[in-house]
Amino acid sequence: MKTLIAGLLSSLLILPAAARPLLELVDIQGVRDNQLVGYGLVVGLPGSGDKTQIKFAAQSLNNMLKQFGVQLDESNLPKSKNVAAVAVTATLPANASPGQTLDVTIMSLGDAKSLHGGSLMLTPLRGVDGKVYALAQGNLVVGGLNATGQSGSSVTVNVPTAGIIPSGAIVERSVAQLYQPDSDITLNLRQPDYQTARNVVTAINEVFGPDVARAEHKGKLKVSAPADANSRITFMSMLQDIDVQEGRQRPRVVFNSRTGTVVMNDVVRVKRAAVSHGSLTITISEQQGVSQPGPFSNGTTMPVQNSAVNVEERAANMMLWPEGSSLDEIVKAINALGATPAELMSILIALDNAGALDAELLVI
């Protein structure tokens, strides 16, 4: 009995995943990024800005001019196609200090055709608490373009109504820390797993001593850390150098129903199964015709709709998957069947319904 238990424990200690740095597996509670958002104006556009029906763009331009002493009648708002109302977003890193710069993203809110060549006017960026944490301004970098002819024909490449300003915002306010300096450090696993949590606790305690780290549950760990700021930084740098064996990954197949994308991780396995897949193609073509009346028949000319329907069925091939087929074997077999991503989704769903797919199906 003791031999059986020892063998079972030794088999449980076999970790299939490679060791990874600790801070790649966990997030430190209280040390997080913060989202900022603002509303501003992009000026200097070559006639590609918001049209006159976008009232809020004209009102924003009028309000900005008032700040510089230009008074305009509210009933006669300025009409300029060189201005576009935009949303401005940025990410404020943890522990960011005033004076540091941030990259900002600008997106059109109206019907502007392109933001290419525009400059963002000074825009305050606010956090969820309504306070201003950064100020953004600068020239846009736009990766798309739009060209319109006089007849209305147009060509659009990528997205011309969105752009970025590298280092376009300056931090004006720091975010208060969410944890007390004398408290324990809380580590949250990015992928909660009992095996990974046990391995993290074991690895930390091997370096710093027993009971320094303890697990509250499979996704949350507590680590005792020094209260002194300098010692705390040294402690965190030592945590960063610890390598941890990640727990066994969960087999998962992810479908994106909008784009037809299928992603599988390497631990997906298929039980012994035979798959036959064929496709049915139905083509319907419409042709317009004219029915002419006979001479002197006092009839009228009538349009005639002619429809042609063609049905083509591709021959179905049978593919046999052996027991425990790996990801490479699955991909090769599906490619041999000539299945499209949409057909691949149907095949994997059918395998799951037949109990031959050892993986979780996730549709996004």
Side-chain angles (χ1 to χ4, degrees):
M1 185 66 179
K2 292 182 179 180
T3 304
L4 177 62
I5 295 177
L8 178 61
L9 290 177
S10 62
S11 64
L12 290 176
L13 291 175
I14 297 175
L15 302 174
R20 297 177 58 188
L22 173 61
L23 294 188
E24 290 185 5
L25 302 176
V26 301
D27 290 319
I28 303 173
Q29 185 169 306
V31 181
R32 43 156 289 182
D33 295 339
N34 295 273
Q35 302 299 322
L36 305 179
V37 65
Y39 170 82
L41 290 175
V42 170
V43 300
L45 300 174
S48 59
D50 292 333
K51 296 184 176 62
T52 56
Q53 62 264 26
I54 306 299
K55 300 298 182 183
F56 56 84
Q59 291 174 354
S60 300
L61 178 59
N62 190 26
N63 293 337
M64 185 190 70
L65 293 175
K66 285 182 179 180
Q67 298 178 10
F68 296 98
V70 180
Q71 300 294 329
L72 296 176
D73 187 3
E74 290 291 341
S75 61
N76 187 22
L77 295 176
K79 300 177 181 179
S80 175
K81 294 183 179 180
N82 298 342
V83 178
V86 294
V88 185
T89 62
T91 300
L92 182 66
N95 303 319
S97 301
Q100 292 181 321
T101 59
L102 308 173
D103 296 338
V104 295
T105 302
I106 296 90
M107 299 156 288
S108 174
L109 291 174
D111 58 358
K113 294 181 179 179
S114 175
L115 299 180
H116 185 75
S119 297
L120 176 70
M121 299 297 291
L122 189 64
T123 303
L125 302 180
R126 304 177 185 273
V128 68
D129 56 1
K131 297 180 181 179
V132 176
Y133 286 90
L135 297 176
Q137 183 172 273
N139 299 324
L140 274 69
V141 178
V142 180
L145 60 89
N146 176 274
T148 304
Q150 295 182 354
S151 63
S153 301
S154 64
V155 175
T156 301
V157 179
N158 295 331
V159 182
T161 54
I164 62 172
I165 305 178
S167 302
I170 299 177
V171 178
E172 299 292 333
R173 184 198 302 266
S174 300
V175 178
Q177 296 294 333
L178 300 181
Y179 64 91
Q180 298 298 326
D182 57 348
S183 63
D184 293 339
I185 294 176
T186 301
L187 304 180
N188 297 316
L189 286 175
R190 296 176 182 177
Q191 297 292 334
D193 179 78
Y194 289 110
Q195 199 174 43
T196 305
R198 182 200 62 188
N199 295 341
V200 171
V201 171
T202 302
I204 294 176
N205 289 337
E206 286 179 353
V207 175
F208 297 101
D211 300 328
V212 173
R214 55 200 180 278
E216 293 194 352
H217 50 72
K218 68 175 183 177
K220 186 176 182 180
L221 313 171
K222 289 285 189 179
V223 181
S224 300
D228 177 66
N230 189 48
S231 300
R232 201 178 188 90
I233 293 297
T234 304
F235 180 81
M236 293 303 299
S237 67
M238 295 177 68
L239 278 182
Q240 187 173 353
D241 292 335
I242 296 178
D243 290 334
V244 179
Q245 294 279 358
E246 189 176 8
R248 187 181 301 276
Q249 296 182 4
R250 189 176 186 182
R252 178 172 291 181
V253 178
V254 181
F255 297 145
N256 190 322
S257 57
R258 295 179 295 276
T259 63
T261 303
V262 181
V263 179
M264 296 179 287
N265 57 14
D266 191 47
V267 292
V268 173
R269 293 292 183 269
V270 174
K271 297 179 182 178
R272 183 176 176 84
V275 177
S276 175
H277 178 73
S279 61
L280 184 68
T281 303
I282 301 177
T283 305
I284 302 176
S285 58
E286 301 286 346
Q287 295 181 349
Q288 298 286 343
V290 177
S291 175
Q292 295 283 2
F296 310 106
S297 62
N298 296 326
T300 58
T301 301
M302 299 292 294
V304 177
Q305 187 78 18
N306 296 321
S307 300
V309 180
N310 181 41
V311 179
E312 180 181 356
E313 185 174 8
R314 188 176 65 186
N317 299 319
M318 181 71 72
M319 180 66 66
L320 179 64
W321 270 314
E323 182 75 22
S325 297
S326 64
L327 177 61
D328 292 339
E329 294 170 335
I330 296 173
V331 172
K332 290 179 181 178
I334 293 176
N335 288 338
L337 288 175
T340 65
E343 293 170 338
L344 170 60
M345 293 172 60
S346 301
I347 292 173
L348 293 176
I349 291 174
L351 285 172
D352 183 60
N353 292 333
L357 181 64
D358 291 334
E360 175 189 6
L361 297 180
L362 179 62
V363 180
I364 60 174

